[in-house]
Amino acid sequence: MSLVFHERVGLNGRRISPFSWRIRYAFAHKGLEPEVIPTRFADVQRVRDLSGQHFTPIIEHDGTVVHETWRIACHLEDHFPSRPSLFDGAAGRGATRFVNIWSDTVLAPALRPQFYADFINVLDPGDRRYFRETRERQLGMTLEEHCVDRDARLPEVAAVLAPLQRTLAEQPFLAGATPAYVDYIVFSVFQWARVGSPRDVLALLDGVAAVRDWRSRMAGLYGGMGDRFALYPTGDEA
Amino acid sequence: MSLVFHERVGLNGRRISPFSWRIRYAFAHKGLEPEVIPTRFADVQRVRDLSGQHFTPIIEHDGTVVHETWRIACHLEDHFPSRPSLFDGAAGRGATRFVNIWSDTVLAPALRPQFYADFINVLDPGDRRYFRETRERQLGMTLEEHCVDRDARLPEVAAVLAPLQRTLAEQPFLAGATPAYVDYIVFSVFQWARVGSPRDVLALLDGVAAVRDWRSRMAGLYGGMGDRFALYPTGDEA
């Protein structure tokens, strides 16, 4: 059985993509250890040749190529049914899809102004120009302009986090007593922010203690997966 | 086996509470037919005598009294395990709890200014003064003031609905191919707004076709459960 994980990487092997992070955790949840192919933005031709499109993560499973993060998670669930479930059933999968969409379209945009101008420093140097050009075109402004009022925008972040905080104050994980894919999705957004900046938004807010505690426990899973790779550079790293 | 459902009612038997609605659907999902005791706000002493608190819904199951909507749903799930599951497993229950909290603390407050001043008209006449006094105290303003800029607030509603729209554009129900408790929670908020006002917010917004379609299908479940009782009064009803 062959299993390959094309995982986005940045500066000196840092894991910098929320999409790749949630699949990394999904593999660990399933007890699978794929061959990992670290993939920079500059490796785009290899990605296109393999999958016909440019986004990571991508997996290869016995010759089948799967791209798009949600489809990869579903593939792992459907093809490894005897291994621990990412969803525990149909309603778990359906509800997780809603949380997935909420995470990527509500949570991530709320967090992004808090750290995105720093994030460029965790990219491979050869990827930074591409990243800046494409992201600034999408944002309609520079990365720095996007982040300029990040202190003033903290209340907006608190409001978006409120349902997470309330849920995690009641139950140890979003999936209940033990983590599942729904946790890996939401955690991956916080991990993106955590790797991508020295600024810890959760330390700047009141009333998010349950989210902070959960984030720590999530980083500690699978032998401290969240801390296995370097975080934001300190000092003289290139 | 005895099963009693103390369900909130308003004017002429209308079902007016999102919390009671989601339990009504949960009973139907489980194929259970409790004795229903219609409960107005004015019936508060009976409610307090039974449960030590004043909120509905409440259920009685072979002498056990359960209040608080989420606890009732979990009770039904745990005590009727051979009947169709409300959650399909642990991760489904956990993720549903997050969606429950999001529905009650993000979705409902976004919809409320659209209809709350009309809602008083679907209450039993003997309940209207109590409702106005308590709700105005909580809101810090009159019901009419709360709703005065409802047209200007439609974009805010659209933003809150966006992850629902995107999810329901991909899958027929929030729980996936078939509905589960996660759907009943979110639908109950729309049903509250639908019964409580002649104003149909989903008809006033663009880009919510999947939510509209899902809302119709949800109302049609279980023999048209969502339309079994009267909606907003037209004409001369008291």
Side-chain angles (χ1 to χ4, degrees), chain A residues 88 90-91 94-95 97 170-171 174-175, chain B residues 88 90-91 94-95 97 170-171 174-175:
Chain A
D88 292 342
R97 185 57 178 153
E170 290 187 12
Q171 54 194 51
L174 294 173
Chain B
D88 292 341
R97 185 57 179 153
E170 286 186 15
Q171 56 195 50
L174 294 174

Side-chain angles (χ1 to χ4, degrees), chain B residues 21 25 173 179 184 187 191 194 212-228:
Chain B
W21 268 113
Y25 270 75
F173 296 95
Y184 307 145
F187 173 70
Q191 189 74 338
R194 189 167 84 106
R212 267 204 303 275
D213 180 69
W214 163 86
R215 186 184 63 174
S216 295
R217 290 182 285 105
M218 291 297 296
L221 293 174
Y222 308 119
M225 178 83 86
D227 295 313
R228 179 168 307 166

